[in-house]
Amino acid sequence: MSKIKSIIALEVLDSRAQPTVAVKVVLENNISAYAYVPSGASTGSYEAVELRDGDSSRYLGKGVKKAVLNIEEKIAPKLKGQLVKNQEKIDQIMIDLDGSDNKKNLGANAILAVSIAVCKAAAKDKNIPLYDHLLSFSPSKDGAYKLPVPMLNLLNGGRHANWASDIQEYMILPVKAKSFSNAMQMGVEIYQQLKLILKKKKYHLGLGDEGGFSPQFKDNSEPFELLNKACHLAGYTPGEQIKYGIDAAASEFYSKNKYHLKKENLKLSTQELKKYYINLIKKYPIASLEDPFSEDDWTGFIDLNKELDPKIQVVGDDLYATNLNLIKKGIEEKASNAVLIKLNQIGTLTETMAAIKLAKKAQMKYIISHRSGETEDSFIADFAVAMGGGQIKTGAPARGERTAKYNRLLVIEKELGKKAQYSNFPFFA
Ligand code: PGA
Ligand code: ZN
């Protein structure tokens, strides 16, 4: 029954060399916990506001001192003395204190850092693993410890990799692994084969923001060809043990009612882009398409979702921005059968869980996700296990800020022992 004694905030750095917010919550019994928040690049317009200073004399205007001050001067005094276990109440105090509908006053980066640090401190206070504490108020309390299928982003393009391809992410989904660790092993074997293939082709081996390789591809299909080859060399059959996923992040190449695929010199209408995807699906074993259309192109989403085999996942990221009202609209209009869940798009743990609860009730699949700008904070690993959605998207199995999450999941799997379940994509089987 510990109470919050103090909250300290500071600027730290994310994986793209940008400042981000860190928070330390200290309890009266001196138990404490830190949280660092991530940051997106291909951000949706409907996301909660990430407060940046705009002071060009520091960090090219990207400093987060205002958010830090908001925590120490405005949030901390209100939360001092609150029982740390009261996550919902604490989140509501911050929501009310901000008073806006998009957290523009205090900053979603300020609020989320506190929300997560409070949760971690509460777990430590109870002396239980973070995933167990999260499970105690999860909307998915079926008692199962579900290790998620990793959606491994092996090839990076778009805004995350200097437009190596128009499509932002090429992911592999180990759909027939025996366990989470087995899925990671498969993913890494394919990643390493991919590296050898690129080396042979004399492609450059630099990594994009999410740890995938990012040579300038010839077109948007070449990455699939490379993945096919890498899977075969690693001893796996694409479409069998491995399926593919993309995040088109299509808002990023949409302007004036057209989708500009620069790699292929194409300007496509919504209907033409839909056909383009359907052709890709015929050629390659794609099981998941995230943001195939721009965030305001509801027609595109609705039509594609209607036309595809329901086993194929249409995922709304920028479309929903983890926002309850937008997800409600998506359920009503059948705009997608899955939603990407990013804590910093909405700004508190409580609201994120409400979004998951809503999706779950409507039998919409949900994927816990990182951001392209990340830190070594591995909170989403525990969160994914406790939320039970069975999928996590946290980049390639490379770069410390990505492996922090995968390694935490490996540790959780070990800790759980026989209790660990691996979801193995029943819906894609
Ligand atoms: P972001 O990219 O973090 O740059 O928004 C991730 C995504 O689009 O899923
Ligand atoms: Zn996305």
Side-chain angles (χ1 to χ4, degrees):
M1 289 293 257
S2 300
K3 290 180 177 172
I4 295 173
K5 181 167 82 177
S6 62
I7 301 179
I8 296 151
L10 68 154
E11 272 178 334
V12 293
L13 302 175
D14 76 12
S15 56
R16 264 195 296 251
Q18 300 286 12
T20 191
V21 179
V23 157
K24 183 185 186 188
V25 166
V26 185
L27 307 183
E28 283 177 348
N29 57 9
N30 285 329
I31 281 174
S32 66
Y34 271 99
Y36 305 155
V37 293
S39 172
S42 62
T43 45
S45 317
Y46 306 106
E47 295 191 16
V49 173
E50 179 184 81
L51 197 62
R52 299 254 173 212
D53 298 340
D55 168 4
S56 55
S57 69
R58 312 180 61 246
Y59 287 119
L60 294 88
K62 297 276 194 182
V64 289
K65 281 274 190 224
K66 280 185 193 163
V68 164
L69 280 180
N70 284 345
I71 293 166
E72 294 198 329
E73 292 179 358
K74 294 178 182 163
I75 296 175
K78 291 271 186 222
L79 297 188
K80 205 175 154 191
Q82 289 294 329
L83 287 172
V84 70
K85 65 169 190 177
N86 288 345
Q87 185 78 42
E88 255 182 58
K89 185 178 176 197
I90 288 170
D91 285 346
Q92 195 58 50
I93 290 171
M94 292 193 284
I95 292 166
D96 293 342
L97 189 63
D98 173 80
S100 71
D101 56 8
N102 61 1
K103 305 195 173 57
K104 66 171 191 262
N105 294 323
L106 296 172
N109 42 353
I111 294 172
L112 182 64
V114 176
S115 184
I116 293 178
V118 162
C119 178
K120 288 184 182 180
K124 278 191 180 175
D125 190 42
K126 289 199 303 205
N127 198 22
I128 59 171
L130 182 54
Y131 55 83
D132 263 335
H133 173 58
L134 280 162
L135 195 63
S136 70
F137 49 103
S138 166
S140 185
K141 275 199 205 85
D142 43 18
Y145 291 112
K146 210 187 259 178
L147 270 294
V149 171
M151 306 178 83
L152 295 142
N153 181 6
L154 300 196
L155 294 164
N156 295 182
R159 204 176 277 283
H160 296 165
N162 198 22
W163 295 94
S165 52
D166 299 293
I167 290 175
Q168 179 178 278
E169 301 172 20
Y170 293 84
M171 293 170 273
I172 59 159
L173 288 56
V175 291
K176 289 208 176 134
K178 292 191 284 287
S179 60
F180 177 76
S181 43
N182 183 226
M184 289 310 294
Q185 182 197 323
M186 291 162 81
V188 167
E189 287 165 2
I190 295 165
Y191 186 80
Q192 297 298 351
Q193 291 297 341
L194 199 52
K195 187 172 181 178
L196 294 174
I197 295 166
L198 296 175
K199 212 168 168 181
K200 243 190 208 158
K201 281 175 147 328
K202 299 203 169 17
Y203 279 20
H204 91 86
L205 299 177
L207 303 183
D209 286 353
E210 297 189 351
F213 298 107
S214 60
Q216 282 294 330
F217 301 108
K218 293 192 187 92
D219 54 36
N220 296 303
S221 293
E222 191 186 14
F224 292 117
E225 296 294 335
L226 295 165
L227 287 179
N228 276 348
K229 231 183 239 170
C231 284
H232 284 303
L233 284 173
Y236 303 111
T237 309
E240 183 55 31
Q241 300 96 333
I242 301 292
K243 299 224 176 176
Y244 299 154
I246 58 164
D247 180 1
S251 298
E252 302 296 326
F253 54 81
Y254 182 71
S255 75
K256 296 186 189 138
N257 293 318
K258 292 278 182 196
Y259 292 93
H260 298 239
L261 298 175
K262 290 200 191 73
K263 282 280 165 187
E264 292 162 31
N265 217 359
L266 290 172
K267 283 188 185 177
L268 304 180
S269 67
T270 296
Q271 294 308 318
E272 287 166 340
L273 184 63
K274 189 182 81 182
K275 277 187 205 132
Y276 180 94
Y277 290 130
I278 289 170
N279 279 333
L280 282 180
I281 294 167
K282 279 183 192 148
K283 272 177 91 176
Y284 306 105
I286 299 168
S288 182
L289 293 98
E290 180 181 333
D291 282 352
F293 300 96
S294 153
E295 62 196 3
D296 293 315
D297 190 352
W298 284 78
T299 311
F301 273 92
I302 292 164
D303 286 357
L304 184 69
N305 193 38
K306 198 188 292 171
E307 202 157 323
L308 292 183
D309 179 335
K311 277 186 186 161
I312 296 179
Q313 212 171 222
V314 177
V315 187
D317 170 15
D318 291 352
L319 181 73
Y320 300 134
T322 316
N323 179 301
L324 229 57
N325 293 328
L326 290 171
I327 297 171
K328 257 182 215 153
K329 183 178 169 191
I331 291 166
E332 276 159 22
E333 302 197 11
K334 298 191 171 70
S336 78
N337 55 13
V339 53
L340 201 75
I341 299 289
K342 290 169 166 168
L343 289 136
N344 80 328
Q345 281 180 329
I346 191 69
T348 62
L349 200 50
T350 301
E351 289 162 292
T352 308
M353 287 200 196
I356 290 171
K357 198 172 175 181
L358 183 66
K360 197 177 159 64
K361 203 171 150 215
Q363 290 180 312
M364 196 185 228
K365 284 166 279 184
Y366 50 95
I367 304 160
I368 307 303
S369 174
H370 67 161
R371 298 308 304 245
S372 53
E374 267 293 340
T375 70
E376 56 273 36
D377 195 313
S378 62
F379 180 81
I380 60 165
D382 290 73
F383 190 61
V385 170
M387 294 302 110
Q391 298 182 76
I392 193 168
K393 193 183 132 170
T394 187
R399 293 183 52 141
E401 76 281 4
R402 313 296 148 184
T403 55
K405 283 70 163 173
Y406 292 127
N407 285 342
R408 173 67 188 150
L409 285 164
L410 289 167
V411 168
I412 294 174
E413 183 182 59
K414 178 76 178 172
E415 275 180 19
L416 288 174
K418 284 204 171 72
K419 282 188 285 179
Q421 294 190 19
Y422 185 67
S423 32
N424 233 348
F425 270 29
F427 30 90
F428 293 146

